[in-house]
Amino acid sequence: DRVEALAASADVPVVNALTDLAHPCQVLADLMTIREHKGDPAGLTLTYVGDGNNVAHSLLLGGVQAGLHVRIAAPNGYEPRGEIVKRASEIGETTGGSASVTNDVGVACAGADVLYTDVWTSMGQEAEAVARRNTFAPYIVDERCLDVAAPGVMVLHCLPAHRGEEIAASVIDGPHSFVFDQAENRLHAQKALLAFLLEHS
């Protein structure tokens, strides 16, 4: 991976803005959004529905670090990497958070304080789009998910979204959605990250 190769040879900090494995900058903004609207995230349950991709990996690691109980609901064969789940569980032993993976959307969404999803087909996977739509069809964040989640559940999506695929239009455009606050917080979280790095490098 080019970012990892750059970081290995650089003598200054290299920020992972996005790789196939992880998307940590996104999760900084996500945690900021949760804190902004729900207070301390520790003890809350965040359920991610969809592909066990880079966003799922970073939600596991960053979410558990913040004390969240992170549940991933993904189709068989599309779960997050086992070593990421294992590491998140180890982190949870010291933070009080936890990490779990299931193929059952209803189980994962039950009582969730935060529902999160991402596109089913990420950059570079365009050739798989049709097959992925068929596989992921049951993994849509829709009204059924809201019905079993906790009262006052917040809905997040790292954007851009495909309404009617990974998330229902009525959900992303509804009163539980905080996706625009989340998108705004990308700017603020990244400014804070750069300020931190400049101060400590």
Side-chain angles (χ1 to χ4, degrees):
D1 183 273
R2 292 178 182 174
V3 172
E4 292 173 352
L6 178 61
S9 59
D11 57 4
V12 295
V14 173
V15 175
N16 177 1
L18 171 67
T19 64
D20 289 342
L21 179 66
H23 201 350
C25 287
Q26 176 64 52
V27 174
L28 289 177
D30 300 339
L31 292 172
M32 179 180 176
T33 307
I34 294 168
R35 181 176 292 278
E36 186 176 22
H37 294 284
K38 288 192 171 290
D40 186 355
L44 298 178
T45 296
L46 181 149
T47 293
Y48 172 95
V49 179
D51 189 15
N53 60 13
N54 52 4
V55 174
H57 290 155
S58 289
L59 283 169
L60 282 162
L61 296 171
V64 171
Q65 183 69 50
L68 283 166
H69 300 291
V70 181
R71 301 175 186 162
I72 307 293
N76 186 38
Y78 292 90
E79 297 93 342
R81 293 189 185 184
E83 66 269 24
I84 300 288
V85 178
K86 181 176 183 291
R87 179 63 185 134
S89 295
E90 291 169 353
I91 293 170
E93 292 174 5
T94 61
T95 65
S98 65
S100 61
V101 179
T102 180
N103 303 125
D104 192 316
V105 176
V107 168
C109 292
D113 301 293
V114 182
L115 293 175
Y116 197 122
T117 190
D118 189 15
V119 295
W120 291 339
T121 304
S122 297
M123 293 177 290
Q125 300 172 332
E126 289 80 7
E128 306 171 29
V130 173
R132 281 175 167 266
R133 273 198 295 273
N134 293 332
T135 299
F136 283 91
Y139 291 81
I140 179 173
V141 173
D142 57 12
E143 300 291 344
R144 294 173 301 171
C145 295
L146 294 183
D147 288 344
V148 299
V153 63
M154 72 185 306
V155 173
L156 301 177
H157 190 305
C158 66
L159 299 181
H162 298 129
R163 289 167 171 79
E165 288 190 18
E166 74 275 1
I167 192 164
S170 61
V171 174
I172 195 169
D173 298 320
H176 294 279
S177 176
F178 290 83
V179 298
F180 293 117
D181 286 358
Q182 179 187 14
E184 177 193 351
N185 285 338
R186 281 296 303 273
L187 172 65
H188 305 314
Q190 269 48 248
K191 287 191 300 184
L193 174 61
L194 291 175
F196 176 85
L197 292 174
L198 287 170
E199 183 180 343
H200 292 86
S201 61

